[in-house]
Amino acid sequence: MINKIITSRFLSGLSFYSFLPFYSIYLINYKGISEENVAVILFIFLFISRACSLFTHYIIDAIGYKLTLIFSYLVAAISLLSIYAMTDVIAIMFISAIIGAGFSIANVCTSLFIAENNNHAERVKNFSILNVAVNISSAIGVVIGEWFYHGFYSGIIILPAVVMLSSSLYSCTLNNVKHSHSNQQNNDKVVATFSEWVLFVCYSSISFFMIGLILRNLAFHFEANHNETIRYVSVSSLFALNAILIILLQVKSTSLLSKQSTKRQIITYKLSLVFVSILLLLFDFQSALSLYLLIILFTLSELIWSPYNNSLSIEKCPFKNKKLSLSLCIFFWGLAESGGAYMGIMADRYQLHVLIPFSSCLTLISLFSIEGLLTKRKSHESDYISRV
């Protein structure tokens, strides 16, 4: 069952990455929509694509994984096709929200299925495999999307719709399993406080903000700033490099990190977030070396925080229902990602290269310091109780 779930996520990723990186350019060049309105549309799409995580587990409880995937993919496919015939900005905003909801429900459904494994190491392993599958789809999807962008604009909309329809049909082969309650007894053990969880949500959201800022607007940045004299650089080549590194290194890096002590794993994870926050200082579309270096460094950080974000959302859960923690985290990550996508279009050069990296890095250091103080105080309180 889990292999079929991951396969359906692969198809969803193929559709997503052949569509989203070029969606803003499609709306500007083909639909004639202003950059300001496109920024709002992209914000709505990404926000809704995460916000639906808040109630996805209720849908799964009611109708099971199979029907959830079938209907969410089908809704996304029909909505994507309708974009082709639309010209009204408000209508496109509304349909973009529905497309985001379709992607969201399907993708969160996949994550929740993997999260059924309550063992931290097993979850990290499965999320690593999922990340590899998603990156294979991203490498293929962006190449196809860029080919349509240069040759057949309508393909940016039509192909993803066809793939999502195929995903819906493939989901019919799944077993109609409902949300598992077999491990419900493990949900009663709460090991983290609400304050610790809030801090985790805040600092883990930085990585998603950077994804929205950089990768979700890569085609836009590339078209706006790319020096035509630079050879052998394209949106698809940058995405392909990101995907290839993850495909080759994700499982090995996760396995290597899992052998380290818990303290060392946490330090490495947090350092990767700080690393991501300062990458914009190297973001220069006038240099091929800078572009490739940026993607390599970004990917090395993603290898660490991508599987750990999902698993730690369960590990640091302050609620009895641990799935609720993942759903809420996905919502806030989506808010950060959509905010990053909006800023990526609206920010000027100084904000993009200086103000945002400095602010995010300072925010991370502050959050880590506060968490350290909370952990230290909690440890002292535990020692006092044990002595008493």
Side-chain angles (χ1 to χ4, degrees):
M1 178 72 168
I2 193 169
N3 291 333
K4 287 188 175 182
I5 290 282
I6 291 177
T7 301
S8 71
R9 182 67 178 84
F10 167 81
L11 293 173
S12 173
L14 186 65
S15 175
F16 186 87
Y17 286 101
S18 65
F19 160 72
L20 186 62
F22 307 97
Y23 189 37
S24 58
I25 303 298
Y26 171 83
L27 293 175
I28 292 171
N29 294 344
Y30 190 74
K31 296 290 185 179
I33 300 175
S34 67
E35 290 184 4
E36 291 78 10
N37 285 330
V38 169
V40 173
I41 291 171
L42 201 61
F43 176 89
I44 291 172
F45 174 87
L46 289 171
F47 175 72
I48 296 298
S49 71
R50 296 288 188 170
C52 289
S53 66
L54 292 175
F55 57 82
T56 298
H57 61 285
Y58 294 114
I59 299 175
I60 297 170
D61 279 338
I63 64 176
Y65 287 99
K66 178 178 180 177
L67 293 179
T68 301
L69 288 173
I70 290 173
F71 288 125
S72 58
Y73 287 140
L74 188 60
V75 166
I78 295 172
S79 300
L80 273 165
L81 282 176
S82 68
I83 290 287
Y84 180 72
M86 288 184 174
T87 55
D88 182 70
V89 175
I90 302 299
I92 291 176
M93 287 181 182
F94 178 73
I95 292 299
S96 295
I98 296 176
I99 297 170
F103 275 111
S104 171
I105 294 170
N107 294 344
V108 173
C109 181
T110 304
S111 295
L112 287 176
F113 185 87
I114 293 176
E116 291 292 341
N117 298 300
N118 276 346
N119 179 276
H120 175 64
E122 193 65 26
R123 281 198 308 268
V124 170
K125 176 185 175 182
N126 287 333
F127 278 122
S128 297
I129 295 172
L130 178 66
N131 196 36
V132 170
V134 169
N135 277 275
I136 293 174
S137 67
S138 74
I140 299 173
V142 173
V143 170
I144 296 172
E146 187 172 53
W147 183 77
F148 280 124
Y149 164 64
H150 289 299
F152 178 53
Y153 251 143
S154 300
I156 295 174
I157 299 297
I158 295 174
L159 175 72
V162 172
V163 174
M164 289 303 275
L165 181 60
S166 301
S167 301
S168 181
L169 295 174
Y170 176 78
S171 297
C172 293
T173 65
L174 298 173
N175 298 323
N176 196 19
V177 179
K178 289 197 173 184
H179 205 280
S180 173
H181 297 281
S182 58
N183 294 317
Q184 201 68 24
Q185 66 272 18
N186 293 327
N187 291 339
D188 295 329
K189 186 179 179 181
V190 176
V191 295
T193 65
F194 183 75
S195 298
E196 290 174 317
W197 180 79
V198 169
L199 287 170
F200 165 73
V201 171
C202 290
Y203 62 68
S204 63
S205 294
I206 297 293
S207 58
F208 289 90
F209 178 81
M210 289 299 171
I211 286 179
L213 201 70
I214 299 173
L215 292 183
R216 299 298 177 248
N217 290 306
L218 196 56
F220 173 82
H221 290 308
F222 199 82
E223 184 172 277
N225 302 292
H226 179 46
N227 186 342
E228 294 296 334
T229 61
I230 297 179
R231 301 177 62 189
Y232 311 117
V233 183
S234 65
V235 176
S236 59
S237 66
L238 295 173
F239 267 95
L241 177 60
N242 172 256
I244 289 170
L245 289 173
I246 289 177
I247 292 165
L248 294 176
L249 300 176
Q250 180 66 86
V251 175
K252 291 182 179 179
S253 64
T254 302
S255 176
L256 179 64
L257 190 58
S258 66
K259 295 177 182 178
Q260 308 302 314
S261 65
T262 302
K263 184 177 180 180
R264 185 169 294 182
Q265 289 181 44
I266 292 173
I267 292 173
T268 304
Y269 166 74
K270 290 181 176 180
L271 286 176
S272 72
L273 295 180
V274 174
F275 198 48
V276 168
S277 71
I278 63 174
L279 284 182
L280 287 183
L281 296 173
L282 305 171
F283 200 65
D284 181 12
F285 274 100
Q286 304 304 312
S287 167
L289 179 62
S290 173
L291 287 175
Y292 284 119
L293 180 62
L294 170 75
I295 294 298
I296 291 173
L297 294 176
F298 187 94
T299 304
L300 292 177
S301 297
E302 186 183 356
L303 288 169
I304 299 168
W305 55 254
S306 183
Y308 272 82
N309 276 340
N310 288 285
S311 188
L312 287 174
S313 68
I314 303 292
E315 200 72 11
K316 291 181 176 290
C317 175
F319 316 111
K320 289 185 177 181
N321 182 357
K322 294 190 181 235
K323 308 299 187 303
L324 177 61
S325 176
L326 178 57
S327 296
L328 287 171
C329 284
I330 291 174
F331 168 76
F332 288 113
W333 293 338
L335 183 61
E337 186 178 349
S338 54
Y342 181 85
M343 286 297 297
I345 293 178
M346 301 304 296
D348 58 34
R349 191 173 184 83
Y350 170 76
Q351 292 171 330
L352 195 64
H353 293 282
V354 179
L355 186 59
I356 292 175
F358 177 78
S359 299
S360 61
C361 189
L362 189 63
T363 300
L364 281 171
I365 293 172
S366 300
L367 291 171
F368 294 154
S369 299
I370 295 171
E371 186 183 55
L373 292 174
L374 286 177
T375 302
K376 188 175 181 180
R377 186 177 69 178
K378 185 178 178 181
S379 177
H380 286 166
E381 289 175 351
S382 298
D383 289 342
Y384 174 77
I385 293 171
S386 64
R387 288 196 300 269
V388 172

